Amino acid sequence: MPTRAPQERRRRRPTATGVLLSKELITETALRLIGEHGPEALSVRRLGAALGCDPSALYRYFRNTDDLLLAVSDRIIGDAMEGFVPGPDWVASLREMALRVRAGYLAHPRAAAMASYRITRRENEFRAVETGVGLLLSAGFRPAHAVRLYLAFIDTVLGHAALDAACQALPREQREADERAWTTAYGSVDPESYPALGEVRGELYVMAESSFELAVDLLLDALAARAPALRARE
């Protein structure tokens, strides 16, 4: 007696150009289009053209464009966390997690701002939050504290990573002009009007660099100082 094919297999039909559609292919193509044109340029029509399919076919895989954008955000998380295995040092593990998030955003700078503030409700995000909260629980924090401290950690990481990615996404001329401004425009201010700037004039070039790792380390130092497991050994 014939049986019905699984839903995913029935959906994977070749387009007129022979492309076999899937959620993964659509998400990958959307991420590429965002990288080329920015998230505001992503549309079902543009995506259908890139995939060689009728735009309406995409609705068999995603409810709407926003549903697709959430899948793109989750894909960035998955790529960043791929292969990550937390070690016995919870502070070092959180630091590696932070660096992975930043690297993932820098790999897709035009999608980063969109991804940083959305809740994907998908598997990669579930695993990332599970990992982060689990590391704080392993440090001895109670559940209510672990969740709140993870929120502070991940918001700091996402905010700084999105800022770095936004700078990376600027046209090179604008980015380089902003970097030079710390030694040109700021370096030429009147020290009588701006005495603090005059005092640090020779150090202002640092302002063109990323503060990501320093911000993460400061936060992790504060978390470590508050960790019940650490205090119990002192």
Side-chain angles (χ1 to χ4, degrees):
M1 180 176 180
T3 58
R4 297 181 65 185
Q7 185 178 28
E8 181 62 21
R9 193 191 309 165
R10 285 186 288 109
R11 288 182 173 183
R12 289 172 63 85
R13 302 169 182 168
T15 66
T17 59
V19 174
L20 195 62
L21 289 180
S22 68
K23 281 191 173 184
E24 293 74 19
L25 177 61
I26 296 170
T27 301
E28 181 180 343
T29 304
L31 185 56
R32 176 174 59 80
L33 289 177
I34 291 171
E36 294 172 355
H37 306 289
E40 67 283 350
L42 184 64
S43 67
V44 173
R45 177 172 296 184
R46 188 190 294 268
L47 191 55
L51 290 164
C53 70
D54 189 299
S56 64
L58 303 176
Y59 292 112
R60 295 200 296 267
Y61 301 86
F62 297 97
R63 293 187 302 276
N64 48 42
T65 304
D66 191 62
D67 189 34
L68 173 57
L69 289 176
L70 293 178
V72 168
S73 300
D74 202 63
R75 165 67 181 271
I76 295 173
I77 296 172
D79 287 350
M81 298 296 290
E82 184 177 3
F84 175 51
V85 179
D89 185 333
W90 65 271
V91 174
S93 295
L94 282 175
R95 191 177 194 278
E96 181 181 349
M97 188 174 174
L99 293 175
R100 282 172 168 268
V101 170
R102 180 175 182 267
Y105 277 18
L106 291 179
H108 305 286
R110 302 191 76 174
M114 170 202 73
S116 66
Y117 63 87
R118 299 304 305 273
I119 309 302
T120 75
R121 319 146 170 80
R122 286 165 166 80
E123 198 63 34
N124 291 322
E125 183 184 76
F126 292 157
R127 285 196 293 267
V129 176
E130 165 73 15
T131 298
V133 172
L135 286 168
L136 290 166
L137 290 172
S138 74
F141 291 106
R142 293 182 178 181
H145 290 156
V147 171
R148 286 169 174 78
L149 293 173
Y150 176 73
L151 176 62
F153 165 77
I154 201 62
D155 277 359
T156 299
V157 169
L158 293 174
H160 277 264
L163 179 63
D164 284 354
C167 292
Q168 182 68 27
L170 283 173
R172 187 178 68 178
E173 295 79 7
Q174 293 181 14
R175 186 172 67 251
E176 291 178 349
D178 285 351
E179 292 170 353
R180 288 195 303 271
W182 293 108
T183 53
T184 55
Y186 274 80
S188 62
V189 298
D190 180 6
E192 292 188 4
S193 299
Y194 303 97
L197 292 179
E199 185 172 346
V200 300
R201 186 191 307 271
E203 306 298 327
L204 285 175
Y205 69 92
V206 173
M207 296 291 287
E209 302 173 1
S210 170
S211 66
F212 181 86
E213 292 195 43
L214 177 58
V216 169
D217 286 341
L218 289 171
L219 178 56
L220 291 177
D221 286 347
L223 289 176
R226 299 178 65 176
L230 180 62
R231 292 204 306 270
R233 293 196 298 268
E234 294 177 346

